[in-house]
């Protein structure tokens, strides 16, 4: 008999199953068919037709071969132009790498930089992937809790306190999943002030950059002295409703790109050709699609924020992404208990804040990537539950 | 302003309260705006899209191309008016190209539609000819795809 526990990597076995996965597994049960969920972390729009058509056409023309490792030059050119056009960032096409989703971009960035014993500062609550990837590199995740009271922003004070001589990387994921927090140019300036004279690399996960409301997204790479120490990870999923195409990209100074490209070459070879050819169309003719979707999310954002408030649930008003992160502390239940009871007794699913790491207790993530009708139904179920708690 | 029209065009069931929250306006202002649109005839009505093929109602529709002789001074308007006043006529357009009016009509049976064309439409003086095309299947109307029930297939992944 083979003893798997002695065969498998201890590092991997020690990784915790993500909290969000555990909750999603509950939802996949057949008995959950009548549940109204606000859990999905992807747009409810279909990829705009002209982009899908570009993908279809590429298949019709038999473009089923590999692309160059870093991606089609044409796509790299478009990414370079796009970053300039939308965020005033200057990257030569060869300073970009086309990846399999924003996820691979994050993975490459961490693997290219972090060595055993290196510390990586990760503001939480956050998306679930940074910590495990750092651990697989033998790095040490140093989580820094952001709070409701500070609008879930990483503060200069907290950053300074977390930095040690071993700090190698800072993960900045704004607009933030799950909180909907953003960092303004002024706030980024303050963080840059601390980082500028260090050797700390910033991994800026800007997958939600196109989804900010009322303000234009600023990338930390556009702040003086930060370009040279920033790895920008982004993708097409959220901006163009292209989650299933699995396409993202990295932009960084050449010495970093060169190393990340090596890992990409060995592990992935190249991102899917069909997706890349569709993405060229997205970048060339998709600005209006982004605008349309952003406006729709913005209306739902107001709707869900006010809807929650009217039933007695306060939230930090999200300024980016498509999540709201209500404060449930006054109900006296743990996040998990709140979400489980809402799920089992009132048939409505939201994700417990604890799934997103430290600082999530007392909160939950609600996605508003749903129709107004769907949100209305979910809100009425949450209202019934909350009323039952007050009695 | 146009935003509210667009939202209502997509979903007439949105209440003034919902619109107010989504557009960050006062409910009173939204109500006033809608009323004004209605008075000015910008908003003409609120209807429901129904896929009759899914019901047991007997139903056919047809598109009829009509060629007419325009009248001095009044052009096509008087003939158009005579045609659109029939309750069977669902829509009527003046067209460029090979014919003049496009008439969309609805009836219970093909016979009923044929009767309408033969007895009501064709005899109108100034109508030179008609060509009736029966609709075999409606795929999409007013931006909505028919016959497909939308199911949220998004997985819980990210």
């Amino acid at each position: 008999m083979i003893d798997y526990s002695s065969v498998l990597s201890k590092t991997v076995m020690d990784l915790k199953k993500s909290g969000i996965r555990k909750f999603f597994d509950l939802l996949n049960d057949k008995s959950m068919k009548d549940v109204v969920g606000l859990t999905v972390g992807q747009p409810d729009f279909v990829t705009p037709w002209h982009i899908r058509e570009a993908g279809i056409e590429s298949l019709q023309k038999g473009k089923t071969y590999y692309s160059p490792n870093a991606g089609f030059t044409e796509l790299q050119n478009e990414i370079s132009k796009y970053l300039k056009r939308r965020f005033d960032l200057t990257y030569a096409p060869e300073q970009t790498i086309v990846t399999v989703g924003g996820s691979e971009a994050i993975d490459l960035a961490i693997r290219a930089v972090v060595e055993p014993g290196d510390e990586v500062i990760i503001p939480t609550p956050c998306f679930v992937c940074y910590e495990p990837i750092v651990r697989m590199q033998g790095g040490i995740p140093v989580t820094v809790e952001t709070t409701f009271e500070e609008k879930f922003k990483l503060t200069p004070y907290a950053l300074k306190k977390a930095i040690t001589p071993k700090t190698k990387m800072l993960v900045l994921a704004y607009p933030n999943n799950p909180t909907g927090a953003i960092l303004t140019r002024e706030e980024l300036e303050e963080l840059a002030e601390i980082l500028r004279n260090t050797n700390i690399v910033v991994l800026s996960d800007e997958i939600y950059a196109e989804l900010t409301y009322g303000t234009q997204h600023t990338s930390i790479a556009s702040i003086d002295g930060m370009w040279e120490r920033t790895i920008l990870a982004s993708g097409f999923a959220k901006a163009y409703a292209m989650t299933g195409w699995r396409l993202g990209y990295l932009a960084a100074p050449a010495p970093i790109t060169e190393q990340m490209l090596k890992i990409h070459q060995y592990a992935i070879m190249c991102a899917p050709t069909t997706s890349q050819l569709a993405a060229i169309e997205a970048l060339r003719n998709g600005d209006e699609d982004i605008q349309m979707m952003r406006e729709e999310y913005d209306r739902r954002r107001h709707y869900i924020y006010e809807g929650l408030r009217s039933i007695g649930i306060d939230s930090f008003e999200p300024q980016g992404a498509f999540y709201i992160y209500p404060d449930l502390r006054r109900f006296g239940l743990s996040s998990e208990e709140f979400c489980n009871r809402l799920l089992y007794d009132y048939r409505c699913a939201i994700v417990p804040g604890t799934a997103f790491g430290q600082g999530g207790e007392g909160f939950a993530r609600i996605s508003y990537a749903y129709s107004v009708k769907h949100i209305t139904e979910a809100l009425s179920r949450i209202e019934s539950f909350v009323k039952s708690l007050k009695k | 302003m146009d935003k509210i029209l667009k939202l209502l065009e997509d979903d007439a069931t949105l209440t003034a309260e919902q619109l107010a929250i989504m557009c960050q306006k006062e409910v009173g202002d939204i109500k006033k705006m809608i009323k004004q649109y209605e008075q000015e005839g910008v908003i003409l009505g609120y209807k429901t899209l129904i896929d009759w093929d899914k019901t047991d109602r007997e139903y056919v529709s047809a598109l009829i191309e009509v060629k007419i002789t325009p009248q001095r001074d009044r052009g096509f308007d008087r003939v158009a008016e005579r045609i659109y006043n029939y309750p069977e006529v669902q829509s009527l357009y003046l067209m460029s190209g090979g014919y003049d009016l496009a008439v969309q009509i609805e009836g219970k049976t093909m016979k009923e539609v044929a009767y309408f064309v033969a007895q009501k439409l064709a005899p109108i003086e100034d109508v030179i000819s008609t060509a009736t095309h029966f609709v075999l299947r409606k795929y999409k109307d007013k931006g909505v795809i028919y016959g497909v029930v939308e199911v949220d297939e998004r997985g819980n992944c990210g």
Side-chain angles (χ1 to χ4, degrees):
Chain A
M1 272 279 274
I2 184 164
D3 174 13
Y4 291 112
S5 65
S6 68
V7 173
L8 290 164
S9 151
K10 193 163 171 344
T11 314
V12 175
M13 283 194 299
D14 284 348
L15 292 178
K16 274 182 268 162
K17 191 170 174 181
S18 85
I20 198 167
R21 194 66 266 155
K22 268 193 242 163
F23 194 75
F24 285 164
D25 286 348
L26 284 181
L27 292 180
N28 290 336
D29 194 85
K30 266 193 200 132
S31 64
M32 294 291 170
K33 280 243 175 321
D34 62 332
V35 166
V36 173
L38 294 177
T39 54
V40 167
Q42 54 178 321
D44 62 323
F45 298 100
V46 181
T47 309
W49 176 244
H50 65 105
I51 300 172
R52 279 187 276 160
E53 208 174 23
I56 293 166
E57 200 192 313
S58 78
L59 289 172
Q60 277 173 337
K61 287 187 176 159
K63 298 189 177 183
T64 56
Y65 36 75
Y66 294 130
S67 79
N69 288 128
F72 287 111
T73 312
E74 218 180 335
L75 179 54
Q76 289 180 294
N77 286 340
E78 290 301 329
I79 291 170
S80 166
K81 279 194 245 170
Y82 165 88
L83 290 173
K84 186 76 200 162
R85 179 172 81 240
R86 307 288 286 192
F87 307 112
D88 199 25
L89 292 168
T90 308
Y91 288 99
E94 58 275 16
Q95 288 168 330
T96 66
I97 302 173
V98 181
T99 60
V100 179
S103 298
E104 192 214 333
I106 293 164
D107 184 47
L108 291 185
I110 295 174
R111 283 210 269 169
V113 172
V114 177
E115 289 191 287
D118 286 346
E119 292 180 359
V120 176
I121 300 174
I122 305 172
T124 62
C126 68
F127 182 50
V128 296
C129 77
Y130 314 111
E131 197 177 316
I133 298 174
V134 168
R135 281 195 197 285
M136 281 189 277
Q137 275 303 105
I140 302 161
V142 177
T143 55
V144 175
E145 194 179 318
T146 63
T147 63
F148 176 82
E149 288 68 27
E150 283 167 339
K151 299 185 171 173
F152 297 108
K153 293 169 188 282
L154 175 67
T155 61
Y157 173 76
L159 173 61
K160 219 182 248 175
K161 231 178 82 181
I163 293 175
T164 76
K166 287 185 181 167
T167 305
K168 192 69 161 296
M169 181 181 252
L170 163 67
V171 176
L172 266 194
Y174 293 92
N176 182 264
N177 167 14
T179 63
I182 61 160
L183 291 179
T184 62
R185 175 168 283 277
E186 294 70 36
E187 286 154 354
L188 288 167
E189 296 269 10
E190 287 176 7
L191 299 179
E193 191 58 38
I194 298 165
L195 297 164
R196 222 171 262 138
N197 297 315
T198 67
N199 259 339
I200 298 171
V201 173
V202 177
L203 165 56
S204 188
D205 179 355
E206 302 184 24
I207 190 80
Y208 289 101
E210 289 288 4
L211 301 179
T212 58
Y213 310 107
T215 52
Q216 172 75 15
H217 170 75
T218 305
S219 170
I220 192 158
S222 69
I223 308 281
D224 261 1
M226 290 309 295
W227 184 91
E228 64 192 71
R229 61 189 77 252
T230 299
I231 303 173
L232 188 158
S234 193
F236 297 86
K238 318 292 175 171
Y240 298 96
M242 292 180 71
T243 46
W245 300 77
R246 305 309 302 125
L247 207 69
Y249 56 86
L250 285 159
I256 305 180
T257 317
E258 209 180 300
Q259 301 310 317
M260 294 193 295
L261 187 57
K262 279 202 280 190
I263 309 172
H264 177 72
Q265 278 167 351
Y266 290 126
I268 303 286
M269 287 218 321
C270 65
T273 291
T274 313
S275 304
Q276 290 193 52
L277 296 172
I280 292 170
E281 169 63 22
L283 292 173
R284 280 190 186 149
N285 298 309
D287 286 6
E288 273 179 32
D289 301 311
I290 296 177
Q291 172 79 4
M292 183 277 290
M293 290 188 262
R294 184 200 297 121
E295 284 176 11
E296 182 59 33
Y297 289 133
D298 193 20
R299 286 190 283 269
R300 296 174 190 176
R301 177 178 73 103
H302 290 306
Y303 189 67
I304 201 153
Y305 175 73
E306 287 299 331
L308 287 169
R309 221 174 54 140
S310 72
I311 59 177
I313 299 177
D314 280 332
S315 316
F316 153 69
E317 188 177 348
Q319 289 164 306
F322 40 60
Y323 309 104
I324 189 163
Y325 199 64
D327 181 357
L328 309 171
R329 290 176 291 189
R330 71 181 188 78
F331 297 105
L333 300 174
S334 73
S335 297
E336 209 167 313
E337 199 181 347
F338 186 98
C339 294
N340 280 342
R341 280 175 61 181
L342 178 63
L343 175 63
Y344 286 106
D345 301 342
Y346 291 85
R347 317 307 285 169
C348 176
I350 60 176
V351 185
T354 41
F356 304 95
Q358 218 183 336
E361 187 52 83
F363 295 87
R365 184 188 81 172
I366 295 180
S367 159
Y368 51 88
Y370 290 91
S371 70
V372 168
K373 212 165 238 147
H374 186 97
I375 294 171
T376 307
E377 174 59 29
L379 281 172
S380 98
R381 293 182 186 206
I382 297 172
E383 183 178 16
S384 305
F385 175 48
V386 169
K387 273 188 182 154
S388 79
L389 290 176
K390 281 181 188 159
K391 277 174 197 160
Chain B
M1 269 232 307
D2 291 334
K3 277 272 144 67
I4 287 163
L5 286 177
K6 192 78 199 70
L7 288 170
L8 281 174
E9 187 185 29
D10 286 343
D11 182 0
T13 66
L14 289 173
T15 63
E17 284 75 15
Q18 288 174 319
L19 286 167
I21 294 168
M22 289 193 279
C23 301
Q24 297 285 281
K25 295 238 159 54
E26 295 297 323
V27 180
D29 291 345
I30 299 275
K31 283 184 178 164
K32 235 185 267 167
M33 254 186 242
I34 292 174
K35 187 148 219 170
Q36 197 178 339
Y37 282 135
E38 287 170 347
Q39 280 166 352
E40 288 169 353
V42 177
I43 293 178
L44 293 164
Y46 305 86
K47 293 216 167 191
T48 305
L49 296 171
I50 297 171
D51 189 350
W52 289 111
D53 288 348
K54 291 213 169 124
T55 69
D56 47 18
R57 178 191 176 198
E58 279 189 281
Y59 168 86
V60 288
S61 76
L63 299 170
I64 308 164
E65 298 171 5
V66 184
K67 283 185 188 165
I68 56 178
T69 319
Q71 293 173 328
R72 189 187 294 272
D73 300 332
R74 304 211 41 194
F76 297 96
D77 293 353
R78 210 184 63 82
V79 187
E81 190 182 334
R82 277 196 66 183
I83 295 174
Y84 69 58
N85 276 320
Y86 285 109
E88 298 92 327
V89 173
Q90 290 300 307
S91 59
L92 177 63
Y93 304 96
L94 177 62
M95 310 296 288
S96 65
Y99 58 96
D100 303 306
L101 295 175
V103 184
Q104 194 209 338
I105 88 152
E106 281 180 5
K108 273 188 192 153
T109 59
M110 281 170 81
K111 214 166 142 189
E112 206 179 276
V113 172
Y115 177 85
F116 173 83
V117 176
Q119 300 298 318
K120 295 179 178 169
L121 191 58
I124 295 176
E125 62 215 80
D126 305 322
V127 168
I128 300 165
S129 70
T130 64
T132 305
H133 308 277
F134 283 98
V135 174
L136 300 181
R137 185 169 167 189
K138 190 192 283 196
Y139 287 104
K140 189 174 180 181
D141 190 19
K142 307 265 188 302
V144 174
I145 294 169
Y146 277 59
V148 182
V149 181
E150 268 189 43
V151 181
D152 191 348
E153 290 178 336
R154 291 175 294 165
N156 273 309
C157 185

